[in-house]
Amino acid sequence: MADWLSFWNSPHRIYVNERHRDVHYRDVALQIRAFVPAADAVLLDYGCGEATRADLVAEAAGRLILSDAAPAVRERIAARFS
């Protein structure tokens, strides 16, 4: 891979299995959620990755905007949260 964008935009295996992936994203979401200043806050998660547990963050905020530079990741996010 030439750069990080290429890495995230292509198939990769950084998780041992789906449970490992879910635990990682849940932990990240709970850590972000702890910083939500108010129930009506607007949050931008820049470089959000798969954001499989974005629901945990969205529950604590008024609006959550997910953003990622990798087109393949954006397509999967759009499909997941459409």
Side-chain angles (χ1 to χ4, degrees):
M1 298 289 146
D3 55 41
W4 279 108
L5 181 57
S6 298
F7 174 79
W8 290 111
N9 204 43
S10 65
H12 57 277
R13 290 279 297 169
I14 62 171
Y15 302 106
V16 174
N17 54 35
E18 286 302 310
R19 177 165 164 61
H20 178 216
R21 181 175 169 233
D22 184 60
V23 168
H24 167 82
Y25 277 105
R26 184 188 58 195
D27 186 49
V28 169
L30 291 173
Q31 289 181 40
I32 293 170
R33 181 182 171 133
F35 287 103
V36 176
D40 62 346
V42 176
L43 303 177
L44 169 62
D45 186 349
Y46 182 78
C48 63
E50 297 293 330
T52 60
R53 296 312 307 264
D55 59 308
L56 296 174
V57 180
E59 289 172 353
R63 183 170 182 199
L64 173 61
I65 302 165
L66 300 174
S67 174
D68 200 283
V73 173
R74 287 196 310 267
E75 288 172 14
R76 288 190 296 273
I77 290 169
R80 183 177 302 112
F81 297 111
S82 64

